[in-house]
């Protein structure tokens, strides 16, 4: 599920940054077993999804989204 999370609907930016920003947060329970801190099999899907999002947002020549 994706949502706009008030009051946390922003990202921390480096000093002097003047461009758009995006803050992505994941609920740890979707990729981490909190009892022993082991990665779950779904961690690979989370990593792939985040890598694909990053590639789409920062693809040379503009966004694919």
């Amino acid at each position: 599920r994706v949502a706009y999370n008030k009051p946390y609907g922003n990202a921390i930016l480096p000093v002097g940054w003047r461009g758009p920003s995006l803050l992505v947060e994941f609920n740890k329970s979707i990729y981490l077993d909190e009892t022993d801190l082991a990665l779950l099999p779904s961690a690979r899907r989370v990593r792939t999804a985040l890598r694909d999002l990053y590639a789409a947002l920062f693809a040379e020549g503009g966004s694919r989204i």
Side-chain angles (χ1 to χ4, degrees):
R1 188 179 72 156
V2 176
Y4 181 79
N5 188 8
K6 290 183 181 179
Y8 303 104
N10 63 353
I12 298 170
L13 301 173
V15 174
W17 177 259
R18 300 268 186 238
S21 65
L22 175 68
L23 173 66
V24 177
E25 294 186 19
F26 291 98
N27 184 325
K28 288 184 188 107
S29 67
I30 65 172
Y31 65 86
L32 184 70
D33 181 340
E34 294 187 46
T35 58
D36 62 2
L37 302 178
L39 291 176
L40 298 172
S42 58
R44 183 171 293 215
R45 286 183 32 221
V46 172
R47 181 184 64 188
T48 300
L50 186 57
R51 184 178 49 218
D52 291 349
L53 174 63
Y54 185 87
L57 291 173
F58 300 106
E60 189 173 336
S63 174
R64 296 188 318 229
I65 293 179

